[in-house]
Amino acid sequence: MPTSDSSRTHARSRPVRPAERGRPREFDVAQAIDSAARVFWEHGYHATPVDALCDATGVFRGSLYRTFGDKHGLLVAAFDRYADGAVARLKERLAADMPPADALRAALLHYTQVSANLLDRRGCFITNAAIELLPDDQAMRSHIESTLHRIATQFSLAIARGQQAGQFDRSLDAEDVGRFLLCIVQGMRVLGKIDMDRSELTSIVDMAMRALV
């Protein structure tokens, strides 16, 4: 049956819904988080626009928001993934098949290497987040504090192993030393953002190791 002019006019006047802009939710979430972490790491949270995250991940804004809630939710996911990897790698180095003192020294020397070779002096994601976001960002506080505590705990466990092996002073409190070494490595990550070479950072490690015997 022919369509009346009024019907055709009504059909033309109906709003057209825009096509969904964004990939399906099935995008590789882990890969997107890793890509976002690199952007946050390089530029910081506040200086990173959402469009830069979309470009880096290859995922449209709507899909990112559906998965992570908002830009801050993506930051939390990126930070936690980075932190889990950092703690796992430290644990592996400290548990290496060698005397505890040698394993600890090797782990600390690793920080001198990465600190002296920071790409564009961008620093450590964990350290940068703490400096930029605390104390104001209460949502991130627990994530940052938990990560720093986990790092200190790994150092404390390494000290306890060294004490049991007779390599470290048994009168030292392992938890106190763990926090001391946390300060050492985080300080080196900050110093790595300026022109301090590896030999200067290594001298810090030597002093720390001497304090343990």
Side-chain angles (χ1 to χ4, degrees):
M1 186 172 71
T3 303
S4 67
D5 290 342
S6 60
S7 297
R8 287 196 297 269
T9 301
H10 177 71
R12 286 196 300 269
S13 66
R14 286 181 299 181
V16 179
R17 296 179 60 186
E20 173 66 17
R21 297 184 66 245
R23 291 184 180 178
R25 190 185 177 93
E26 294 77 28
F27 67 85
D28 190 325
V29 174
Q31 183 176 350
I33 292 174
D34 286 340
S35 297
R38 286 191 290 272
V39 179
F40 285 131
W41 186 2
E42 183 174 354
H43 300 291
Y45 174 69
H46 293 296
T48 298
V50 175
D51 286 345
L53 296 170
C54 294
D55 291 341
T57 60
V59 180
F60 288 108
R61 182 187 299 248
S63 294
L64 286 178
Y65 281 8
R66 281 194 298 273
T67 303
F68 302 104
D70 54 17
K71 173 184 167 182
H72 195 275
L74 180 54
L75 170 70
V76 172
F79 179 89
D80 285 348
R81 184 170 174 83
Y82 177 93
D84 287 345
V87 174
R89 289 188 293 272
L90 174 61
K91 181 179 180 179
E92 182 178 1
R93 293 187 186 97
L94 292 173
D97 187 16
M98 61 180 71
D102 293 343
L104 175 60
R105 179 178 172 78
L108 294 175
L109 288 176
H110 169 76
Y111 285 101
T112 70
Q113 179 181 3
V114 298
S115 297
N117 293 284
L118 292 174
L119 179 62
D120 295 329
R121 304 295 179 187
R122 65 186 180 185
C124 167
F125 190 11
I126 298 169
T127 308
N128 292 352
I131 293 172
E132 178 185 7
L133 301 173
L134 297 184
D136 296 331
D137 193 329
Q138 292 301 313
M140 276 296 294
R141 175 183 289 277
S142 62
H143 296 267
I144 296 172
E145 290 182 348
S146 173
T147 298
L148 295 177
H149 176 73
R150 290 164 64 195
I151 294 172
T153 297
Q154 291 304 318
F155 282 129
S156 297
L157 294 172
I159 295 302
R161 289 193 294 270
Q163 289 173 324
Q164 292 173 358
Q167 294 186 302
F168 298 143
D169 185 350
R170 290 178 179 269
S171 68
L172 296 173
D173 184 287
E175 292 188 8
D176 288 344
V177 178
R179 288 187 289 269
F180 165 71
L181 294 175
L182 171 66
C183 290
I184 293 292
V185 297
Q186 293 302 310
M188 287 196 295
R189 301 308 291 267
V190 174
L191 291 174
K193 300 181 75 170
I194 62 175
D195 290 329
M196 181 168 287
D197 62 35
R198 191 176 180 185
S199 64
E200 293 174 303
L201 296 174
T202 298
S203 69
I204 297 173
V205 172
D206 291 337
M207 293 184 66
M209 295 299 298
R210 288 197 295 270
L212 304 179
V213 298

